[in-house]
Amino acid sequence: MKQKAFIFDLDGVIVDTAKYHYVAWKKIANRLGIDFTHEHNELLKGVSRGRSLDIILGLGQVEASQAEKDAWLAEKNDDYMNSVANMAADEILDGVMPVLEWLKANNQGIALGSASKNARPILERVGIIHYFDVIVDGNDVANAKPDPEVFVRAAQLLGKPAEDSIVFEDSIAGIQAANIAHMTSVGIGDANTLHEAKHNFNSFAEINIHFLETLVNS
Ligand code: B16
Ligand code: MG
C-alpha cells in the first residue's frame, strides 16, 4: 500500500471546542456591551485568537489599546484553558477514532494542522496525541489559514509532497488553504458552506474504509 500524508485540523474536526471558545469570548464581549451570538461565533472558526478578538471588537465598533487587547486575550485564554482542562476521550467526535486506527494500522503519515496554540494540551487531554507523527499548530506558523503554511509545513515534516497530502477541515479558510497548497481537501461539515472542498462529509462517521483506501491508492 502507498503511504500518504493525512493532515487533520483540530477544532471542529477531531473535537468540538467551538463551544468553549464561545463561552470565553461571550464573557468578554458582553462586558464590553457587545452582543455575541452563536452565529457570530461561526465567524471565528479556524481564525487565530488575536484576529478573533479584532472581529468581536469590530461587531461592537469598540476601539481598544494594544494593552487592553492583550489583557482580554490572556483572560479569554485562561477561561478557555479552564474549560478544556475537563475534556476527556468522550469529546472526540464520532467516527474519528476508527479513521485514526485504520491510518495507523496501515502505516500512513498522520499530522495535525491547527490554528490553535492549545492543540497539544487538548490532544493530551483527550488521549490521542500519540497517533500524530507531526503536530503543527498556531505556535509554529506565521501566517493564518487560508495561507497554506500550516499544511505545507505538516506535509514537509512527514516527508510527503502536496499531491500525496490529504487535509480534513471544517472551515472555509482551511479548505482554501488545502486547495491553494494543491492538496486533496476533505470538508467535514455542511456541504454548501464547504463547497470548495474536493470531497465532503457531514462528519467522520460517514467516512468508510473504502474511501480511505481510494485516497491512499489514487
Ligand atoms: P487558540 P482549528 C482554531 O482551531 C479555532 O477554530 C478557532 O476558533 C480559534 O480561535 C483558533 O483555533 C485559535 O485557538 O486560542 O486555542 O490558539 O480549527 O484551526 O484547529
Ligand atoms: Mg477547525
Side-chain angles (χ1 to χ4, degrees):
M1 192 179 272
K2 293 184 200 169
Q3 193 194 44
K4 298 281 175 88
F6 286 84
I7 307 172
F8 292 73
D9 177 50
L10 179 64
D11 295 339
V13 168
I14 294 177
V15 286
D16 175 21
T17 41
K19 60 190 176 198
Y20 302 128
H21 285 296
Y22 175 70
V23 171
W25 282 130
K26 189 174 177 63
K27 187 173 141 192
I28 289 171
N30 288 359
R31 199 168 64 218
L32 296 171
I34 302 169
D35 187 31
F36 185 65
T37 65
H38 283 286
E39 285 69 41
H40 294 140
N41 200 45
E42 291 296 310
L43 302 171
L44 311 185
K45 288 191 173 174
V47 175
S48 73
R49 197 183 309 164
R51 176 84 192 113
S52 297
L53 177 60
D54 287 340
I55 291 172
I56 291 167
L57 295 178
L59 290 170
Q61 295 175 319
V62 170
E63 307 239 339
S65 68
Q66 192 55 50
E68 285 173 315
K69 288 188 192 179
D70 288 346
W72 295 331
L73 288 170
E75 181 188 337
K76 185 268 171 180
N77 199 52
D78 284 348
D79 278 353
Y80 177 69
M81 289 309 287
N82 282 335
S83 299
V84 302
N86 297 319
M87 288 180 82
D90 62 354
E91 293 205 45
I92 297 169
L93 293 172
D94 274 359
V96 170
M97 287 315 298
V99 171
L100 285 175
E101 297 280 6
W102 187 88
L103 295 176
K104 210 65 186 162
N106 288 277
N107 197 32
Q108 300 300 310
I110 306 178
L112 191 86
S114 166
S116 174
K117 293 184 173 176
N118 300 306
R120 282 179 177 81
I122 291 170
L123 289 176
E124 276 168 11
R125 284 299 313 160
V126 299
I128 57 171
I129 197 162
H130 57 285
Y131 283 89
F132 293 86
D133 304 304
V134 160
I135 295 174
V136 183
D137 68 15
N139 300 294
D140 305 314
V141 295
N143 302 299
K145 302 165 188 175
D147 188 290
E149 184 182 4
V150 65
F151 298 142
V152 170
R153 184 83 69 91
Q156 277 171 351
L157 289 171
L158 285 172
K160 295 293 172 203
E163 62 265 29
D164 288 341
S165 300
I166 298 109
V167 173
F168 297 109
E169 251 294 347
D170 71 315
S171 73
I172 297 169
I175 294 295
Q176 290 171 339
N179 290 343
I180 290 167
H182 301 291
M183 297 177 176
T184 300
S185 54
V186 183
I188 305 294
D190 179 63
N192 292 322
T193 308
L194 303 176
H195 62 88
E196 292 176 55
K198 175 142 194 229
H199 307 278
N200 188 267
F201 299 91
N202 285 313
S203 85
F204 267 90
E206 291 181 0
I207 294 183
N208 59 32
I209 286 168
H210 174 69
F211 176 68
L212 297 175
E213 285 172 342
T214 308
L215 290 174
V216 170
N217 293 320
S218 60

